[in-house]
Amino acid sequence: MSPIAKKILGIYLLVLTLGVTLSTLIYLNGTSVSNTTSSLVEGDLPQLAAISKLRVAIQQQKPILYEYYANTDRENFLRKFELTQREVDAGLRTIHSSAEGKILLQQIADKNNSINQLATQLDQTLRMQSANWDRARELLIQVSDMEQRITPDIDALVELNRKHVHSSGKLAQSQTRLMINMVFGFSVVIFIIAVLIGYYVNTYIAETAERRRLAMFAQRNPNPVLRLTWDGVVSYANPACTELVLQLGLTQAGQLLPEKILTQFHSNQVSGKDTVVLEYVLHNHVFNCLIHTVTDLHSYHVYLEDITERKQAQEKLLHQAYHDDLTGLPNRRRFGECFLEASKQGMAVNMAVILLRVDRIKRVLESQGYEASDNLLCALVQRLTTLLQDGDEFTGDIQLFRLEGATFGILLLNLQSTRQLSVLAEKLQLSMHDPLLANGQELFFTLSVGASVYPLDGRDLQSLIKNAEAAVNRVKESGGNSFQCYTQDMNAKAQRWLELENGLRRALERDEMMLHYQPQLAIHNEQMIGMEALLRWRRDDKQFISPAEFIPLAEESGLIISIGAWVLRTACQQAKIWHDAGFATLTMAVNISARQFQHPEFVEFVAQVLKETGVDPKYVELEITESVVMHDAEKTIATLESLRALHIQLSIDDFGTGYSSLNYLKRFPIHKLKVDQSFVRNMASNNNDAAITKSVIKLGQSLNLKVIAEGVETTEQLALLKQFGCDEVQGYLFSKPVSNNDMEQLLRSARFSRLVDMKQKG
């Protein structure tokens, strides 16, 4: 038995003897104290604690409501507020008091119910589709006011219970003082003995417990722990270490450590470092090794941790951050880093940024769905990757990236000349001659390729990508399937389009749009039978913007819907004015854009305009281009039938420039064909254009359709059209498009041909 244990045993026997004597006296006097304190401990003090919890629970409600107002997180609010209410209800049920205390409790409960009602109103206010923030703030102010009114009641309840506790405590104190006087002498002795025994026992227990804990720490540690002697020999290995040795197929624990461990031990001794951390790979496992030098014991404690999964997860996250999920190609972020790396290493002296965009891939998405589109992109990436890897002239200096959607980027280093870009683009486009396989179907596609060169076209990646994008857009505007290097005028054109688009968005509200009208004449007597409404844009009341410039922009941006609606309504209103003025048989022709015609509510809109303006429908003619009507022939037929049911006239504009099927053409419920001016312009000097014009006229007549030729500018053209049997004409030979005031003067002329003669004489 240790000396400390013997001392503890002797003191224990002494304490036992004194304790029996003292216990008898304490029992006799303590019974009376117990009865007094029982009420205090079991009743009054818990009551006071319950009131404190109730106070805290009630005070928590206001911050929860303010937090809900700030972030509108209703789920979080309901969870916290419901928890607080349960605590308040529990407090109200737990607290029992005198008659006066019950009145206070009832007042607290009533005011807390008022807070609940205000919270419900606040929740309803914030859940509204358009939250009433002013009402919410008013409710929060009422909550604050109600909380301030509850506080005096709680304070009064606390004071009431505190008085009761104080009274009971005074009684217990007097009884205890009597007992203390009886046992004071024994207590002094016991105290001294208790201090001694406590000291020895605590020392003994602490030493024993510490030894046990230290022993169990290593034994139960799930990570390998080793202790090595000063010369590097393993003196201890825990069970986790033994298990790892077996798992890796090793024979001893020392083999878990890296070969350079002894060198590291020596380095620790020389440098005086207490702790060193190493990371190494062993049998395809990555370990984190912490070496702790215990100088006074001349040993090392080594703690190992297998961080293989963590490393793999980090590598996976890093790969996902820099690669596209679908194709596995490096993404835009990696594109930027590769450019910066090349710049820092001086490799960007001759470098090009190339953008590839797959033409018409949207059709696959619309017809086959996302899966087919994804499969197509993967097949394309595989083909492009193979092509770039097999190119001997670019090996190691070229990398493919997926930037977004069907747009890919190429970073080309060590560029010798722009000729290389043309060669590469040609190879890329030739690779698309063979079909791509997606969902069991062979699909053919082309590539639009644009490039910019560092530093000629930009000194940072953003500028290079922007300029390459401008080059690609130029290719797309030209029909795609081509290559274009960036030139300075591209950004100027893009800037021009941006300015025009911004202006176009405000053109209607600024009253900058207007209609001009070009007469249409019967060819046999040159009498005006109608007119075509043509849109004009006078920007900022200064200059006219060419329709050839802003109409495609309106189509692309979607503004053509609102602009086209304005054109149709304005043209019908003007037609109604002229009809009421006595020109009741004049036809108003209005061009309809592709987006307008394909809009699902187009027919309903036309019917609404006819009703609003009161114009006679049979004198309203809608012109739809040949390419639009052939986009979806069956759907077009249904739309045209619905329009014909409104009793309006229908014509096909620019006829001859598309690829109409005669089978569909004879099914279209149309009234007129319009020969495109590109054929009329050169038919006097070009036999092919003359033959096409004549064929269109004969075709229209065979289908019982009227035929009108636009762009008539010379008497020779007019003579040929009369010879071919054309029904109607329009063009500069008779009049350019004019304002509504000028058109009204033409209408009031006795004969339109007479006005032409007057203009020629003028």
Side-chain angles (χ1 to χ4, degrees), residues 49 91 152 179 232 273 285 310 317 396-397 481 493 499 549 686:
M179 185 179 64
K273 291 183 179 179
H285 286 253
R310 186 198 308 169
L317 289 174
D397 295 332
N481 192 28
K493 181 178 180 181
E499 292 176 359
E549 189 173 12
N686 188 308

Side-chain angles (χ1 to χ4, degrees), residues 247-261:
Q247 178 184 343
L248 298 181
L250 305 176
T251 57
Q252 54 185 349
Q255 294 175 325
L256 292 174
L257 302 176
E259 295 180 357
K260 60 180 181 179
I261 193 71

Side-chain angles (χ1 to χ4, degrees), residues 363-375:
R363 295 182 181 177
V364 177
L365 180 60
E366 293 175 347
S367 61
Q368 304 295 325
Y370 283 102
E371 181 180 356
S373 179
D374 289 347
N375 293 341

Side-chain angles (χ1 to χ4, degrees), residues 550-585:
F550 74 81
I551 292 296
L553 178 58
E555 286 272 8
E556 181 180 328
S557 63
L559 295 172
I560 196 66
I561 299 295
S562 58
I563 293 176
W566 178 86
V567 169
L568 181 60
R569 181 176 284 107
T570 304
C572 289
Q573 289 172 345
Q574 186 62 60
K576 175 62 175 174
I577 292 173
W578 284 330
H579 289 169
D580 293 344
F583 308 104
T585 60

Side-chain angles (χ1 to χ4, degrees), residues 27 37 48 52 54 85 153 199 208 368 380 395 590 671 706 714 719 745 759:
Y27 175 78
T37 57
L48 197 58
S52 298
L54 175 62
Q85 285 306 305
D153 294 336
Y199 171 76
T208 303
Q368 304 295 325
L380 173 65
T395 301
V590 181
H671 305 86
K706 291 284 186 179
T714 65
Q745 293 180 13
K759 288 176 60 180

Side-chain angles (χ1 to χ4, degrees), residues 40-211:
L40 178 64
V41 173
E42 297 178 3
D44 296 334
L45 291 178
Q47 285 283 89
L48 197 58
I51 294 172
S52 298
K53 291 183 179 179
L54 175 62
R55 180 202 296 272
V56 172
I58 290 176
Q59 291 176 344
Q60 285 178 343
Q61 295 178 111
K62 184 174 76 173
I64 292 173
L65 293 174
Y66 272 86
E67 180 182 358
Y68 181 34
Y69 170 80
N71 58 29
T72 65
D73 186 353
R74 186 169 185 264
E75 181 178 354
N76 185 48
F77 158 71
L78 291 177
R79 177 176 57 79
K80 289 185 177 180
F81 198 80
E82 183 180 358
L83 178 60
T84 304
Q85 285 306 305
R86 286 202 296 267
E87 292 177 354
V88 172
D89 293 340
L92 292 173
R93 289 194 304 270
T94 303
I95 300 170
H96 301 283
S97 187
S98 62
E100 183 181 357
K102 290 180 180 178
I103 294 174
L104 291 173
L105 281 174
Q106 184 59 44
Q107 292 175 354
I108 293 171
D110 293 341
K111 293 173 182 175
N112 184 68
N113 289 335
S114 298
I115 292 178
N116 289 342
Q117 293 173 3
L118 292 172
T120 301
Q121 295 177 30
L122 178 64
D123 182 34
Q124 293 173 350
T125 301
L126 295 181
R127 287 177 60 194
M128 294 173 63
Q129 184 173 4
S130 178
N132 187 342
W133 297 105
D134 292 335
R135 174 58 180 164
R137 285 190 289 272
E138 291 176 5
L139 292 172
L140 289 175
I141 292 172
Q142 295 178 33
V143 169
S144 300
D145 179 66
M146 190 59 65
E147 180 183 344
Q148 291 176 358
R149 293 169 59 188
I150 289 178
T151 301
D153 294 336
I154 296 177
D155 292 340
L157 188 62
V158 170
E159 184 61 26
L160 186 64
N161 279 268
R162 184 178 290 121
K163 289 180 180 179
H164 195 273
V165 169
H166 181 71
S167 172
S168 298
K170 292 290 280 187
L171 178 60
Q173 185 179 11
S174 64
Q175 293 173 342
T176 303
R177 187 178 296 111
L178 177 62
M179 185 179 64
I180 290 174
N181 292 332
M182 293 172 56
V183 298
F184 178 79
F186 288 105
S187 299
V188 173
V189 176
I190 292 298
F191 175 76
I192 296 173
I193 293 174
V195 170
L196 291 173
I197 195 170
Y199 171 76
Y200 289 121
V201 169
N202 186 63
T203 302
Y204 178 76
I205 292 175
E207 291 180 356
T208 303
E210 185 64 21
R211 286 194 296 270

